Amino acid sequence: MASKRQQESGAEKRKKRKRDETQASLAGSMLKYVQGGSQGQDEPSSSSAIPGHQPPAIVDPATIPSQEEQEPSTTSSEQEAKLETQKTELQSQKTEIDQLKEQLQVKQVAFSASLLDHGNGHTGPFNTQITLIFKHVVTNIGNAYNPQTGIFTAPVRGVYHFDWSLYEHGNIAAGVVLFRNGENIFIVYEHQPTGGVTASNAASLLLEVGDQVSVRLWANSRVYDSENHHTTFSGHLIFTM
């Protein structure tokens, strides 16, 4: 009877020891599991080290585009077009400068001449009007007066002033008339039986570029000139328009 109780007591002790070992093993496994999870939580990653802060991104320099890639290069055709535009602008500026120089020069227009360049004598009479050629040129600024033809040609649009005078002696008419292109403007006319006679006239005319002004001898009249320069023709630009 006692032996049977001892056997049951020994079996119970073995079961209890085995149960305790199993529980200890389970407790050890649980402890390792818990420690492993805690270690993962106790070591925060760099991205969450500072709440709300995002660390700067690391950029590979090789991925950064060059300036040539960022700014497309100008094509040769665009460069040529730009160059042509600059040439055109430069030529336009040069033309404007030349025009300004020309305008400055043509504002200086004046001439004065007498009928004969040497000696003395009469011119006329003729049965028709003729253009008098004033050959003795004293002043011809701007070269608008032509001593080969006796014609003044307006180089610029503006108002011009002209003077002309004559001298004659003897019993014959003396007359000269100012012409603008084919238009009779003003006349100087005298007829005195004896002695010498002198007369003069003047006019201010609006002329266009290329208009021509001259003095013509009146038909059947004559004029006289000498080294004293009695018979003259003068003109100058007053202002441009």
Side-chain angles (χ1 to χ4, degrees), residues 131-134 144-153 212 214-215:
T131 299
L132 293 175
I133 300 175
F134 295 83
Y145 173 73
N146 188 341
Q148 305 300 320
T149 62
I151 297 174
F152 172 86
T153 303
Q212 295 183 339
S214 61
V215 173

Side-chain angles (χ1 to χ4, degrees), residues 166-181:
L166 63 80
Y167 176 79
E168 181 54 45
H169 58 83
N171 186 15
I172 189 171
V176 293
V177 59
L178 184 73
F179 270 81
R180 175 178 57 192
N181 299 325

Side-chain angles (χ1 to χ4, degrees), residues 4 39 48 74 91 98 101 132 143 175 180 214 228 237:
K4 184 177 181 180
Q39 184 177 5
S48 60
T74 304
Q91 184 61 39
D98 292 340
K101 288 181 178 179
L132 293 175
N143 295 316
R180 175 178 57 192
S214 61
N228 294 319
L237 172 65

Side-chain angles (χ1 to χ4, degrees), residues 136-163:
H136 180 73
V137 178
V138 178
T139 304
N140 194 12
I141 299 173
N143 295 316
Y145 173 73
N146 188 341
Q148 305 300 320
T149 62
I151 297 174
F152 172 86
T153 303
V156 64
R157 185 176 190 270
V159 176
Y160 297 79
H161 184 78
F162 297 95
D163 299 274

